[in-house]
Amino acid sequence: MKKKILNILKNTDGYISGEKISEQVGISRAAIWKHINKLKQDGYEIESFTHKGYHLVFSPDIITAEDIQNGLNTEFIGRNIFMYDKTDTTNERAKAKSNAPDGSLFIAEVQTCGKGSRGRGWQSPKGTGIWHSVLLKPDIPPMEVSQITLIAGLAVCKAVGLNSMIKWPNDIVINGKKICGILTEMSAEINMIHYIVCGIGINVNMETFEDNLSDKATSMYIESGKKYPRSVIIARLMNEFEYYYKKFLDNGLSAILDEYKEHCVTLGRDVNVIFNKETVSGKAVDVDENGSLVVETSGGIIRVTSGEVSVRGIYGYV
C-alpha cells in the first residue's frame, strides 16, 4: 500500500488531497496519513497542507524492484528480484535460493559481511553503493565459469562509463582506483554446473573513503561530481550483462574478447603474478580465448588462470 501511495505522489504535479488518494487505493484518510508518515521516516520529504493535500518534494535514492524493472529490456536477467534491507552477502542469499529462476537478482542496501576475492572484506555502506548478485544456470563446462567474471567486467564498464577499465580479471578501475569488484562462485560436479552466482559491488555515490582506502578506491560520484540513481544503474548493468552473456553462450568468449581487450587496463603493462607465494614479473600481452592472462616473462610466455596479479601504476604498485 505504501508503494501505491508513493507512486500516486510521484505521478502527481503539485498537491493531491488525502480524499483523492483514499478513493484511488481504497483505504481511509487516517490510514493514508499513517503511510505518509512511514514514507517520511524512509527519507521522503512530503509537504502537507489543509485543503491542499500532499506534495512529494524530495525522494531519497532508494533501490526498488519496480524502478529497476522499468528500465530493463532483458529476457530473463533481473526479471526476478529479491530485495534485502540488510544481509550478510548477496552471494550467500543467492546460494540459499539457488532454486530461483535463472537470471534472478539479489540486492541488499547493506551487506554486513561483504567480501571480495580471496576472502578480503568489502565495505558495503547503506544508501551509496550497489551490492547485488546474479544467479545463473548455464549449460557450460565448469572450466569455463571463470569467464563469467570477464563478461561481468565488460558489462560494468559499459554501464558505468566514465572511462572505466578492467583490471584482469575481476576489478573495475577509474584513474587507477577501484570502483567495482566482482566475485564469481559456483556449485558444480565434475562435468555439470548446478548454478553460478556472480556478485558485483559498485561504489556509486560515496563522497569519501576511509584513509586506508582513499588512495585505492573511488566512486562514480567522486569521478564525475554527479549523484546517480542506483536503480537506473542496476537496470543499465543488467541490460549490458544479458547482452554479453547471451553472446558468450551462443559463441563462446571469443565473441566478446576483442571488446574486452579494448577495456582491459592490464594489457601492455608490467605485472607481478603471485603463485603460491612465488612472484613472477613480466608484461601482460594478451587475454586468450579461455580468458587467461598471457604474460611475457624473461623465461618465456606464461598463461595465468589463477593467482594474484598486480599491475604497475594501480593500487600502489610502482
Side-chain angles (χ1 to χ4, degrees):
M1 185 57 65
K2 187 172 68 172
K3 289 182 179 179
K4 289 182 179 179
I5 295 170
L6 179 59
N7 284 334
I8 290 171
L9 293 172
K10 284 182 174 180
N11 293 315
T12 300
D13 292 329
Y15 289 83
I16 182 169
S17 70
E19 183 178 3
K20 286 188 177 179
I21 298 175
S22 177
E23 290 172 357
Q24 292 186 42
V25 299
I27 60 175
S28 69
R29 280 184 286 177
I32 298 292
W33 180 81
K34 290 181 180 179
H35 285 297
I36 291 290
N37 282 337
K38 288 179 181 178
L39 287 168
K40 289 179 178 179
Q41 291 171 9
D42 290 340
Y44 292 92
E45 185 179 343
I46 302 170
E47 290 182 342
S48 58
F49 291 98
T50 305
H51 306 307
K52 294 181 71 175
Y54 301 102
H55 170 54
L56 180 62
V57 178
F58 170 79
S59 296
D61 181 27
I62 295 174
I63 298 171
T64 70
E66 182 180 13
D67 286 342
I68 293 168
Q69 291 177 334
N70 285 342
L72 291 179
N73 56 31
T74 60
E75 286 182 28
F76 65 99
I77 298 291
R79 290 297 175 181
N80 196 53
I81 298 178
F82 296 87
M83 302 285 299
Y84 305 89
D85 185 56
K86 181 186 288 187
T87 190
D88 45 5
T89 76
T90 55
N91 270 28
E92 291 303 316
R93 294 309 95 221
K95 293 176 192 176
K97 292 185 179 291
S98 60
N99 60 341
D102 189 14
S104 290
L105 184 59
F106 297 78
I107 305 169
E109 272 291 355
V110 176
Q111 291 185 126
T112 57
C113 301
K115 59 183 179 179
S117 59
R118 303 186 177 277
R120 295 188 182 93
W122 178 272
Q123 291 189 2
S124 311
K126 185 174 183 177
T128 57
I130 293 171
W131 327 121
H132 61 350
S133 302
V134 186
L135 178 68
L136 302 169
K137 301 178 180 181
D139 182 16
I140 61 174
M143 68 179 63
E144 294 181 6
V145 168
S146 62
Q147 297 173 22
I148 301 294
T149 301
L150 277 63
I151 293 163
L154 181 55
V156 171
C157 281
K158 302 297 277 191
V160 166
L162 301 175
N163 296 315
S164 54
M165 300 288 284
I166 304 161
K167 175 187 172 290
W168 185 96
N170 59 348
D171 288 352
I172 309 302
V173 301
I174 301 177
N175 296 323
K177 294 184 178 182
K178 185 172 179 177
I179 195 169
C180 169
I182 300 166
L183 178 63
T184 303
E185 301 177 288
M186 73 169 170
S187 171
E189 299 176 26
I190 294 176
N191 295 312
M192 182 180 69
I193 292 172
H194 298 301
Y195 62 83
I196 298 168
V197 175
C198 184
I200 304 171
I202 307 174
N203 300 331
V204 182
N205 291 324
M206 287 82 162
E207 297 181 4
T208 59
F209 289 91
E210 295 177 1
D211 289 343
N212 63 324
L213 293 175
S214 59
D215 62 339
K216 299 177 182 178
T218 190
S219 70
M220 294 176 69
Y221 171 76
I222 290 172
E223 295 301 323
S224 69
K226 293 168 48 181
K227 291 292 180 77
Y228 294 84
R230 291 174 297 152
S231 293
V232 171
I233 300 300
I234 293 172
R236 190 187 303 169
L237 174 54
M238 293 302 100
N239 291 337
E240 296 288 354
F241 187 97
E242 184 176 279
Y243 171 74
Y244 290 109
Y245 181 62
K246 288 170 70 176
K247 290 184 75 170
F248 163 75
L249 293 180
D250 290 342
N251 297 296
L253 190 64
S254 60
I256 69 162
L257 198 51
D258 287 344
E259 196 167 358
Y260 179 89
K261 292 178 188 179
E262 290 173 6
H263 289 81
C264 186
V265 72
T266 309
L267 294 180
R269 291 183 178 242
D270 294 334
V271 298
N272 288 333
V273 182
I274 302 172
F275 296 104
N276 298 321
K277 298 183 180 180
E278 180 181 348
T279 301
V280 178
S281 299
K283 177 174 282 190
V285 295
D286 200 6
V287 176
D288 69 17
E289 66 279 0
N290 297 313
S292 301
L293 184 68
V294 181
V295 179
E296 189 177 73
T297 74
S298 58
I301 293 289
I302 62 172
R303 296 177 187 272
V304 183
T305 56
S306 62
E308 183 132 352
V309 178
S310 11
V311 182
R312 184 179 294 277
I314 296 179
Y315 309 160
Y317 171 38
V318 295

